[in-house]
Amino acid sequence: SSNPTLTTTGTAENLEPGKFQPLTDIPIPSGAKLDTEPSLILGPPDHWLGRAVLKVSLSANDTPVFYQNQMPSFGWELITVVQGKVSNLTFSKADRIASMQIEGARLSGSTVTIIMSPRQPKQEPPKAK
């Protein structure tokens, strides 16, 4: 189908063997669907980069709470949270950064846009001449 249902990942270890899962290193809420049109997922499921757009049944208020509670069990560290009509969360893990934008869907649930990018190496500030 054009918008496949993703397997719920309550923990990193409970993925069903043999089932296609494009994302295995982030928590997936129950009943979430991948919106394939705007999504661009590059690399392996456990170390991907790009953009994943999920349609979830959780409200726009409950979705940020879900990710704040569940991302640490996948090894992600929370960097920032800005909650509002559109909420933004940023997490880091090893050599990647996950930026999430969460907004309410038209009828119910919410849309989660996840931008996964490589983390830039720490650089020394330029020295004054």
Side-chain angles (χ1 to χ4, degrees), residues 4 9 11 24 29-30 33 45 52 67 75 82 89 106 110-111 117-118 124:
T9 53
T11 64
T24 60
S30 180
K33 293 187 182 298
Y67 281 104
V82 178
L89 291 84
R106 290 189 181 170
S110 56
T111 300
S117 58
E124 294 294 319

Side-chain angles (χ1 to χ4, degrees), residues 9 23-28 48 54 71 74 76 100 114 116:
T9 53
L23 313 172
T24 60
D25 64 341
I26 60 170
I28 305 295
W48 63 281
L54 309 179
M71 288 289 277
F74 285 75
W76 293 94
M100 299 182 171
I114 304 165
M116 191 71 69

Side-chain angles (χ1 to χ4, degrees), residues 18-99:
K19 179 153 181 147
F20 172 70
Q21 181 71 10
L23 313 172
T24 60
D25 64 341
I26 60 170
I28 305 295
S30 180
K33 293 187 182 298
L34 178 67
D35 188 346
T36 57
E37 183 71 27
S39 295
L40 175 64
I41 300 169
L42 304 170
D46 63 345
H47 202 84
W48 63 281
L49 298 173
R51 176 180 56 245
V53 180
L54 309 179
K55 304 291 185 180
V56 301
S57 59
L58 296 171
S59 73
N61 291 330
D62 291 340
T63 302
V65 174
F66 171 83
Y67 281 104
Q68 288 177 66
N69 290 336
Q70 296 298 318
M71 288 289 277
S73 69
F74 285 75
W76 293 94
E77 180 183 345
L78 181 64
I79 297 174
T80 62
V81 177
V82 178
Q83 283 195 258
K85 185 173 181 179
V86 176
S87 295
N88 291 282
L89 291 84
T90 305
F91 296 89
S92 68
K93 178 180 180 181
D95 61 346
R96 294 184 300 154
I97 299 290
S99 299

